[in-house]
């Protein structure tokens, strides 16, 4: 072993020692009412820190060996041929949608003015790429029990301009993939799965993220695994693979990996458009692209996190079941969350919707829980068409609502969720459930 290898081994050993002293978290000491319960957070050990330091010592700051490893392992996990790492789940949604606008797809490409069916109840970056490109989002309503699209409304949203369906698996609960997939197949539509909140969820025994022509993932610290900031796009389609790689990497036509030149063997011997013959292929651009790549240091963290993902998923399910059992008898006051038929969710959160007939308001309950240091969250934007960002958009021109969004408005007004992430202990879960029960008991 060289002196350099010995030094590296010593540094990594010290990193483990540092983790034990600085970061190892003993959550058994949770103090109800004194320690805050966050809805989500990072769960890691010395392996992530060792990988991160190992990558930093190499100082290959952009796409590198850890990125290649993580893309390969993530693709194998989901069951896709290709995975492209990006810098966030929002960027993953942007990249996936813009790939559908690629000229490589010819007549099947999404054009400005074409329509995309989605929901108004969710995170805004599922819808944002559609509007930003100049396509038209068409909104269907959602179920109060699953917070997912009501699949029987898809036909009402269909028009001659419809090109795609772009839906999220809300809080880890899969949407009706059977009915949605059949609808897309029947009408020749693209399907993108926003799988950012659902890594590890199963539908009919198969992982979500493996049904659509593309799917997306997020690795923000609150999600099922983390790289800090980060995300990914998955596909098995060869044309979309080419479009995704180009758009993610500045729009370039060249497919050389970072640090490589002339993989095609024709770097200076091709004709592109009206460029001079032999124009350097590394500087030929076939798409209007961006730079959305993840750094190799982030990917190094992800490689260690992916090993833990099955355990994270199992813990989320256990925590959800713990809360569901503790709150099951409060069904007169809440619409309690239900898994979609045929699914085993990898839950992102526990959604509660106050019933119309309940003698209390959501806001009062949320403020009570926050006063007890229990972090709560709305179901993201509630109803996106009521958000300020839609104020300058015109109904029936810039977006359509072919059905009433009654349940979406109900969720906007009366729903919130609490966390089930793997860092929670039974003591924390019991405190959250008991706090909800205390509030209901004092207001009924």
């Amino acid at each position: 072993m060289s002196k350099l290898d010995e030094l590296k081994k010593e540094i990594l050993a010290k990193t483990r020692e540092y983790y034990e002293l600085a970061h190892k978290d003993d959550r058994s000491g949770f103090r109800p009412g004194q320690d805050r319960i966050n809805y989500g957070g990072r769960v890691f050990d010395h392996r992530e820190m060792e990988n991160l330091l190992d990558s930093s010592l190499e100082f290959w700051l952009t796409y590198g060996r850890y990125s290649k490893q993580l893309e390969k392992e993530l693709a194998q996990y989901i069951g896709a041929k290709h995975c492209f790492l990006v810098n966030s789940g929002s960027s993953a949604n942007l990249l996936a949608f813009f790939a559908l606008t690629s000229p490589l797809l010819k007549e099947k490409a999404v054009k400005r003015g074409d329509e995309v069916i989605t929901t108004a109840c969710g995170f805004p970056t599922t819808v944002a790429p559609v509007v930003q490109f100049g396509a038209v989002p068409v909104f269907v309503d959602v179920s109060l029990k699953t917070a997912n699209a009501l699949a029987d409304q898809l036909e009402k949203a269909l028009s001659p301009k419809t090109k795609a369906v772009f839906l999220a698996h809300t809080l880890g609960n899969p949407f009706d993939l059977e009915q949605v997939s059949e609808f897309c197949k029947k009408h020749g539509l693209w399907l993108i799965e926003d799988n950012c909140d659902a890594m590890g969820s199963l539908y009919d025994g198969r992982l979500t993220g493996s049904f659509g022509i593309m799917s997306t993932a997020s690795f923000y610290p609150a999600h099922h695994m983390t790289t800090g900031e980060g995300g990914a796009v998955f596909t098995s389609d060869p044309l979309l693979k080419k479009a995704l790689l180009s758009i993610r990497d500045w729009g370039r036509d060249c497919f050389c990996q970072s640090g490589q030149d002339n993989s095609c063997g024709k770097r200076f011997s091709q004709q592109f458009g009206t460029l001079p013959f032999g124009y350097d292929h590394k500087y030929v651009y076939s798409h209007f692209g961006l730079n959305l790549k993840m750094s190799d240091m982030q990917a190094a963290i992800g490689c260690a996190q992916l090993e833990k993902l099955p355990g994270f998923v199992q813990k989320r399910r256990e925590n959800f079941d713990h809360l569901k059992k503790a709150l099951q008898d409060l069904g007169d006051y809440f619409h309690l969350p239900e898994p979609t038929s045929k699914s085993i969710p990898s839950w992102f959160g526990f959604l509660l919707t106050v019933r119309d007939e309940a003698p209390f308001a959501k806001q009062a309950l949320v403020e009570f829980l926050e006063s007890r240091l229990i972090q709560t969250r709305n179901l993201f934007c509630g109803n996106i068409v009521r958000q300020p960002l839609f104020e300058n958009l015109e109904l029936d021109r810039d977006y359509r609502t072919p059905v009433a969004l009654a349940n979406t408005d109900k969720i906007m007004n009366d729903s919130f969720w609490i966390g089930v992430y793997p860092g929670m202990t039974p003591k924390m879960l019991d405190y959250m459930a008991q706090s909800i029960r205390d509030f209901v008991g004092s207001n009924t």
Side-chain angles (χ1 to χ4, degrees):
M1 182 182 292
S2 69
K3 185 175 181 180
L4 190 62
D5 289 336
E6 288 179 359
L7 180 58
K8 188 176 190 179
K9 184 178 179 180
E10 181 182 349
I11 290 170
L12 295 180
K14 287 292 185 182
T15 302
R16 181 168 187 166
E17 182 180 341
Y18 184 88
Y19 163 79
E20 294 289 334
L21 291 172
H23 291 291
K24 191 171 184 179
D25 189 6
D26 180 11
R27 297 175 188 270
S28 61
F30 169 70
R31 299 166 298 175
Q34 298 182 57
D35 297 328
R36 185 162 179 78
I37 303 177
N38 294 321
Y39 78 90
R42 59 195 187 178
V43 178
F44 68 101
D45 62 22
H46 61 93
R47 286 276 286 110
E48 284 83 351
M49 295 186 68
E50 288 172 5
N51 277 16
L52 178 59
L53 190 59
D54 183 44
S55 176
S56 70
L57 291 173
E58 291 181 358
F59 213 66
W60 189 265
L61 301 179
T62 58
Y63 184 97
R65 70 177 180 93
Y66 277 112
S67 302
K68 295 174 188 176
Q69 177 184 338
L70 184 56
E71 285 184 336
K72 179 182 177 180
E73 293 177 352
L74 280 168
Q76 290 172 342
Y77 175 80
I78 288 292
K81 291 182 180 179
H82 312 291
C83 170
F84 295 92
L85 293 175
V86 293
N87 54 21
S88 72
S90 297
S91 291
N93 284 346
L94 177 71
L95 177 60
F97 180 75
F98 271 67
L100 291 185
T101 72
S102 170
L104 295 172
L105 302 179
K106 299 181 180 178
E107 71 279 354
K108 294 190 68 178
V110 176
K111 306 290 196 303
R112 289 176 179 82
D114 284 343
E115 295 183 350
V116 179
I117 299 173
T118 186
T119 65
C121 180
F123 203 73
T125 55
T126 308
V127 177
V130 179
V131 177
Q132 289 162 346
F133 175 73
V136 177
V138 180
F139 298 109
V140 296
D141 206 9
V142 298
S143 160
L144 288 180
K145 288 188 176 181
T146 68
N148 279 312
L150 290 167
D152 58 3
Q153 294 186 351
L154 294 175
E155 292 286 351
K156 297 177 182 178
L158 186 69
S159 85
K161 294 183 177 181
T162 307
K163 282 286 187 73
V165 175
F166 194 175
L167 294 173
H169 301 294
T170 306
L171 295 182
N173 197 4
F175 58 78
D176 188 338
L177 277 157
E178 180 178 12
Q179 195 168 343
V180 173
S181 297
E182 288 177 356
F183 172 80
C184 290
K185 184 177 180 180
K186 175 182 176 182
H187 297 288
L189 307 176
W190 301 109
L191 172 61
I192 303 178
E193 294 175 74
D194 181 339
N195 201 40
C196 290
D197 290 351
M199 283 286 283
S201 291
L202 295 169
Y203 183 88
D204 201 17
R206 181 173 156 190
L207 282 170
T208 57
S210 66
F211 289 81
I213 193 69
M214 287 181 286
S215 67
T216 61
S218 173
F219 307 134
Y220 190 71
H223 284 89
H224 293 66
M225 57 172 276
T226 188
T227 57
E229 301 287 354
V233 181
F234 301 87
T235 192
S236 294
D237 185 272
L239 277 181
L240 287 171
K241 171 199 172 184
K242 189 174 181 180
L244 289 165
L245 180 61
S246 176
I247 297 168
R248 184 193 67 171
D249 296 9
W250 305 285
R252 64 188 179 129
D253 194 74
C254 172
F255 56 83
C256 288
Q257 292 189 4
S258 181
Q260 294 183 348
D261 291 336
N262 205 24
S263 298
C264 65
K266 299 181 291 184
R267 181 177 172 189
F268 300 109
S269 60
Q270 299 179 80
Q271 179 70 57
F272 296 96
T274 58
L275 289 170
F277 176 79
Y279 197 82
D280 188 347
H281 190 216
K282 287 188 71 71
Y283 291 94
V284 174
Y285 300 92
S286 51
H287 294 86
F288 287 98
L290 301 157
N291 180 8
L292 302 174
K293 296 190 298 298
M294 177 187 287
S295 75
D296 211 47
M297 288 187 288
Q298 290 173 290
I301 298 169
C303 288
Q305 283 275 294
L306 184 56
E307 295 175 2
K308 297 179 174 69
L309 182 59
F312 290 163
V313 169
Q314 182 59 34
K315 185 63 174 172
R316 284 178 175 275
R317 289 173 179 153
E318 291 172 0
N319 289 349
F320 179 92
D321 290 344
H322 191 121
L323 287 175
K324 186 69 177 289
K325 183 178 180 181
L327 300 173
Q328 189 68 59
D329 62 330
L330 298 183
D332 288 343
Y333 306 104
F334 301 103
H335 295 280
L336 296 169
E338 296 288 345
T340 300
S341 176
K342 298 185 179 182
S343 78
I344 304 176
S346 174
W347 295 100
F348 186 53
F350 192 94
L351 183 70
L352 287 165
T353 302
V354 178
R355 290 185 180 273
D356 291 342
E357 57 271 23
F360 51 82
K362 177 201 86 169
Q363 192 63 27
L365 173 53
V366 164
E367 291 180 8
F368 176 80
L369 294 176
E370 293 283 351
S371 75
R372 289 198 169 190
L373 303 183
I374 298 168
Q375 196 172 46
T376 65
R377 286 292 183 264
N378 286 340
L379 188 48
F380 310 126
C381 62
N383 183 344
I384 197 169
V385 304
R386 300 189 184 279
Q387 289 280 349
L389 55 85
F390 262 68
E391 287 178 356
N392 294 322
L393 299 185
E394 185 177 322
L395 181 63
D396 294 329
R397 185 195 69 184
D398 301 312
Y399 67 99
R400 289 202 302 117
T401 55
V403 295
L405 303 180
N407 289 344
T408 300
D409 279 339
K410 172 67 177 172
I411 287 173
M412 175 184 66
N413 290 318
D414 296 318
S415 297
F416 70 97
W417 58 277
I418 53 178
V420 294
Y421 87 106
M424 289 183 171
T425 65
K427 192 172 181 180
M428 294 175 181
L429 296 165
D430 287 338
Y431 177 69
M432 290 195 295
Q434 188 57 54
S435 294
I436 293 169
R437 299 185 69 86
D438 288 348
F439 176 86
V440 172
S442 63
N443 286 273
T444 57

